[in-house]
Amino acid sequence: MSGPSVGAAVSIGIAAASLELDDVAVLAHRVEQAGFTALWVNDTPDADALAVLASAAAATARLKLAVGAIPVDRRPAPAILADIAQLDLPTDRLTIGIGAGRMRRGALQAVSTAAAQLRAALPSRVVVGALGPRMRRLGAMDADGVLLSWLTPEIAAAQARSAHDQRAGAHAALYVRAAVDDDARGRLVDEAAKYSRVPAYAANFGALGITAQDTVIRPERAADRLAAYRATVDELVLRAVPADDGLDAHLAFVNEVRDLV
């Protein structure tokens, strides 16, 4: 990246189903070459994020590999551990994000138990995808940190400070949906609208007094927005919203962001 490193580490995020595995390997190699900290992969019901990370691992030597966030109601800790072993993922480079998924009753206990099991078995960092204050506290106290998302810079800074106050050394990572190409603007609007319809996110937006559109990085003034977010957390994950789902568009996103950071 150009210039000195200031503020949060910067990582790239993609959806698990967005690219073929061979293309993920090419992208991961480029992300490593460009000097980013990690490649994060969203875990989704229609694609295995850990398998995607295995392709990235095979094409890289230093790049951190992260998944955010595996719902423990769908994939409990023993299953996660078995898959990591079967895929031979490099656990020294791995960050495992977990969350409650669709669980309502017993969610805090289930996530706490999963975090303890993963941390006992692996040297990997374990972070908790968290919206509310109790889950964020759990991430800071019972895991290695929190994975935040869909926040303005001001709210992200406050939530990161809270995590650090609860436990020195707690890692605060923030997912921010970003489009840096004018042709991707419509897809960014659609992405925000989709999350606005998810009940848990809609309730959180209402409680915070913000909208999903308030929390994204648009092509205009992208550099200023990046700088604002980098001042808030320990790791800024730019969830790529490229012009299309092809490899070339993802590579273009990485190159454009590299020039902005």
Side-chain angles (χ1 to χ4, degrees), residues 144-166:
D144 297 307
V146 293
L147 176 59
L148 310 172
S149 64
W150 294 105
L151 299 175
T152 63
E154 297 78 14
I155 295 173
Q159 292 190 2
R161 282 196 303 271
S162 178
H164 295 152
D165 289 344
Q166 288 161 356

Side-chain angles (χ1 to χ4, degrees), residues 55-66:
S55 288
T60 57
R62 303 174 307 280
L63 185 69
K64 301 294 185 181
L65 308 164

Side-chain angles (χ1 to χ4, degrees), residues 65-142:
L65 308 164
V67 56
I70 299 174
V72 298
D73 59 342
R74 176 164 57 83
R75 203 172 192 179
I80 296 172
L81 290 169
D83 290 340
I84 289 171
Q86 191 275 325
L87 292 164
D88 196 24
L89 286 169
T91 55
D92 59 325
R93 291 199 273 153
L94 188 62
T95 293
I96 308 167
I98 58 173
R102 297 183 180 275
M103 192 181 305
R104 293 297 174 258
R105 293 187 178 182
L108 290 168
Q109 184 58 55
V111 173
S112 179
T113 298
Q117 292 172 328
L118 292 168
R119 295 177 83 203
L122 298 173
S124 310
R125 176 183 283 160
V126 178
V127 296
V128 173
L131 295 179
R134 290 188 297 171
M135 195 64 81
R136 293 199 305 272
R137 179 176 177 80
L138 186 156
M141 300 299 292
D142 295 354

